[in-house]
């Protein structure tokens, strides 16, 4: 990844640190807090994690078109923090898209890299989920709780794209760039990105926490070595589409990744 020089003035560093906390408080940082509360609640219920279920795409209403409206509003509202961080990054440089790897250059290469990353993460993720279930450290993951309507698959695909854009832009593109502006060493930057990714999946159990943290290390290190956020978005989208749509229509096969 290309970088801007670190901030050296104390006032600028404080302002940037506050900006990071505000962004995370409006997005995935708050999700992480809710996830911690959720895992505590599940651990203290009768039967522990093994008896609990985590539904990733829940129905919001028994009325189909009202449910569709809620789903679309959720997708739109969740992407607002992405617009915020892109606006903030654009204030640093006019080349913010190229710096993040969100420009149009190399789009076919991004597709190929994204597919490769999805394969690299997907198969071990299935194994880790199965092991987590056997060890009773992972909840049963219901990747789709939607009824079957004409709009179900399009909404699940949109949810997958939304998750990918939200997580990869904020957890990788934004957070890693901002922490480097604070002159954090690469090891701390990658650890922070990976732990954040794992933490907001903790409501699914400790298996998904570990799996997503490992995924976070792989994605962050790949990005550090010159990767592009577009490729990460492609990889994450593929993983979630397989998880969501596959669960919906393949007889609810066990072992889905739970990466969202």
């Amino acid at each position: 990844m290309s970088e801007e020089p670190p901030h050296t003035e104390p006032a600028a560093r404080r302002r940037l640190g506050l900006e990071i906390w505000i962004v995370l408080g409006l997005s995935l940082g708050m999700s992480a807090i809710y996830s911690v509360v959720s895992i505590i609640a599940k651990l203290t219920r009768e039967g522990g994690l093994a008896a609990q279920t985590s539904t990733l795409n829940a129905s919001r209403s028994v009325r189909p078109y009202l449910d569709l409206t809620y789903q679309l509003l959720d997708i739109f509202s969740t992407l607002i923090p992405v617009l915020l961080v892109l606006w903030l990054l654009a204030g640093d440089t006019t080349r913010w898209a190229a710096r993040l790897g969100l420009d149009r250059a190399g789009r076919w290469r991004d597709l190929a890299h994204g597919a490769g990353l999805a394969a690299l993460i997907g198969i071990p993720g299935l194994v880790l989920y199965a092991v987590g279930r056997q060890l009773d450290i992972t909840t049963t993951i219901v990747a789709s709780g939607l009824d079957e309507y004409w709009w179900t698959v399009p909404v699940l695909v949109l949810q997958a794209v939304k998750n990918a854009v939200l997580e990869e832009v904020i957890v990788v593109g934004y957070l890693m760039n901002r922490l480097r502006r604070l002159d954090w060493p690469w090891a701390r930057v990658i650890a922070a990105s990976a732990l954040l990714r794992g933490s907001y999946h903790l409501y699914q159990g400790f298996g998904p926490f570990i799996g997503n943290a490992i995924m976070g290390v792989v994605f962050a290190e790949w990005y550090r070595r010159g990767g592009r956020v577009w490729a990460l978005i492609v990889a994450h989208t593929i993983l979630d589409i397989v998880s969501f749509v596959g669960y919906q229509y393949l007889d609810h096969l066990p072992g889905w990744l739970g990466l969202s």
Side-chain angles (χ1 to χ4, degrees):
M1 59 173 277
S2 60
E3 298 184 64
E4 295 293 318
H7 286 300
T8 56
E9 297 180 2
R13 292 174 61 85
R14 285 195 299 270
R15 182 179 180 87
L16 188 56
L18 181 59
E19 177 196 295
I20 293 171
W21 282 113
I22 291 173
V23 166
L24 294 181
L26 291 172
S27 57
L28 294 167
M30 187 58 64
S31 297
I33 294 173
Y34 277 108
S35 191
V36 171
V37 174
S38 178
I39 193 69
I40 292 172
K42 289 174 180 177
L43 285 168
T44 53
R45 288 176 188 163
E46 184 177 355
L49 287 180
Q52 308 304 317
T53 298
S54 301
T55 302
L56 306 187
N57 295 284
S59 177
R60 307 295 182 89
S61 174
V62 295
R63 293 186 284 175
Y65 284 97
L66 188 57
D67 195 3
L68 173 60
T69 301
Y70 280 132
Q71 299 295 330
L72 295 177
L73 286 173
D74 171 72
I75 292 167
F76 174 76
S77 62
T78 304
L79 288 175
I80 291 177
V82 175
L83 298 178
L84 172 62
V85 301
L86 294 179
W87 182 78
L88 291 169
L89 291 170
D92 285 349
T93 175
T94 56
R95 299 189 66 255
W96 62 271
R99 176 149 58 95
L100 294 182
L102 285 173
D103 56 345
R104 295 183 179 182
R107 57 184 177 274
W108 296 112
R109 186 170 63 251
D110 290 338
L111 287 172
H113 287 164
L117 285 167
L120 176 67
I121 296 296
I123 296 174
L126 288 171
V127 175
L128 187 59
Y129 175 81
V131 170
R133 291 293 297 154
Q134 290 297 316
L135 296 176
D136 294 338
I137 62 171
T138 299
T139 64
T140 297
I141 296 175
V142 178
S144 173
L146 300 178
D147 292 326
E148 295 188 13
Y149 304 116
W150 65 265
W151 50 261
T152 300
V153 169
V155 162
L156 289 174
V157 171
L158 287 175
Q159 290 283 7
V161 173
K162 178 259 294 183
N163 290 339
V165 171
L166 174 70
E167 295 184 35
E168 305 315 326
V169 170
I170 292 180
V171 177
V172 177
Y174 170 78
L175 185 62
M176 291 181 67
N177 273 277
R178 283 321 203 206
L179 293 179
R180 286 295 290 169
R181 295 298 302 274
L182 291 176
D183 205 23
W184 280 34
W186 274 115
R188 286 181 63 193
V189 171
I190 291 172
S193 178
L195 288 174
L196 175 60
R197 189 187 296 267
S199 65
Y200 55 77
H201 290 93
L202 189 57
Y203 71 96
Q204 300 171 9
F206 296 106
F209 168 80
I210 295 169
N212 279 278
I214 294 172
M215 174 182 170
V217 171
V218 173
F219 276 24
E221 176 60 18
W222 186 86
Y223 181 66
R224 183 189 73 83
R225 291 172 177 261
R228 291 164 51 82
V229 170
W230 268 131
L232 300 180
I233 290 173
V234 170
H236 198 143
T237 300
I238 292 172
L239 289 169
D240 279 6
I241 288 176
V242 171
S243 177
F244 299 167
V245 178
Y247 188 94
Q248 183 75 27
Y249 289 105
L250 296 180
D251 296 326
H252 291 195
L253 293 176
W256 296 101
L257 297 179
L259 290 174
S260 295

